[in-house]
Amino acid sequence: MKKKKIIKRVVFVFVVAAIAAVLEVCAFNFKPVTVALGWRADETRLFTAESINPDTLKGCTVEDGAVVLTAEEGSFELMGLGFELNTARALFESDGVVSVTAFFDSSREDKTVSLVSGAKNSYIDGSVSYVSIDLAGEAGGRIEGFTLIVNDYQFEFSWARFIAMIVVCCVTRALFGLQRPPDYELESEPVGAPAGGPPAGEEKKA
């Protein structure tokens, strides 16, 4: 009997783990999977210092591919947008620049995100007409190798989330298993038998 229970528990954990894995891949990594399978037409694009609209440079200049602050704050806009943009992340090296933020003008919801070199994707969603990059630091500060990567979907399997789903299901099942229906100690009597008397069809013996 114990062996049968152990087998049932193992099968239950296996099924829950399989469902959790499917959810992690299909639900939490839906876009990377659909792009990899060719179901989405989103194209990964790169924007560099060469994509900067020179007419939008404020408080900064472009020197040999590097953006250099001429004041404590500067900003510029990128050219070539005007398409469905879902994710964005940046790569760059900074010297004397303490923060880099990007404002995305989206058809769904405008969004401002802090750009950290090498960080994970920030989700934007919507048709983005332009993006404004704001810099803060000291005059003479610079960022080199600036690259904004958009629509680059990264598959990220979260083991913490996967294990959490399994634990929640197992704990829930254990709690339900602890529940027992109340026993009122009621004994059923034969149909037709008078309460407190002998069964029907039998006579009291003198």
Side-chain angles (χ1 to χ4, degrees):
M1 190 66 180
K2 288 183 178 180
K3 186 177 180 180
K4 190 175 181 180
K5 284 185 177 180
I6 292 174
I7 293 175
K8 283 185 177 180
R9 289 174 181 174
V10 170
V11 171
F12 175 78
V13 173
F14 178 79
V15 171
V16 170
I19 295 174
V22 171
L23 285 174
E24 180 62 30
V25 172
C26 297
F28 297 104
N29 287 282
F30 179 74
K31 286 182 179 179
V33 171
T34 53
V35 169
L37 294 176
W39 297 347
R40 292 180 66 93
D42 297 351
E43 180 184 353
T44 300
R45 306 189 190 188
L46 306 180
F47 294 87
T48 64
E50 296 180 355
S51 307
I52 296 176
N53 183 346
D55 296 332
T56 63
L57 287 166
K58 297 178 181 178
C60 59
T61 60
V62 178
E63 300 176 3
D64 298 327
V67 181
V68 182
L69 282 171
T70 57
E72 293 184 352
E73 294 181 351
S75 66
F76 59 85
E77 294 179 12
L78 298 177
M79 301 182 296
L81 282 89
F83 56 88
E84 190 75 12
L85 193 156
N86 289 287
T87 68
R89 62 189 180 93
L91 297 174
F92 56 85
E93 293 182 2
S94 64
D95 180 16
V97 177
V98 295
S99 71
V100 181
T101 58
F103 171 77
F104 293 89
D105 182 14
S106 171
S107 59
R108 296 181 185 173
E109 182 182 2
D110 296 344
K111 193 168 185 179
T112 300
V113 299
S114 177
L115 298 179
V116 179
S117 182
K120 295 181 180 180
N121 279 325
S122 295
Y123 288 86
I124 312 301
D125 288 332
S127 180
V128 175
S129 57
Y130 76 90
V131 57
S132 175
I133 309 294
D134 297 320
L135 311 176
E138 57 186 28
R142 57 196 293 135
I143 56 174
E144 298 185 6
F146 176 80
T147 303
L148 184 69
I149 308 170
V150 301
N151 291 345
D152 178 27
Y153 299 104
Q154 300 169 311
F155 183 89
E156 298 174 357
F157 191 96
S158 173
W159 286 101
R161 191 163 47 210
F162 171 72
I163 295 173
M165 286 189 285
I166 296 175
V167 171
V168 168
C169 289
C170 291
V171 170
T172 303
R173 185 179 185 276
L175 291 175
F176 277 110
L178 293 175
Q179 294 181 352
R180 293 287 186 272
D183 186 4
Y184 297 105
E185 299 182 355
L186 297 177
E187 296 181 1
S188 59
E189 296 183 353
V191 178
E202 292 187 9
E203 297 180 359
K204 275 190 178 181
K205 294 184 180 179

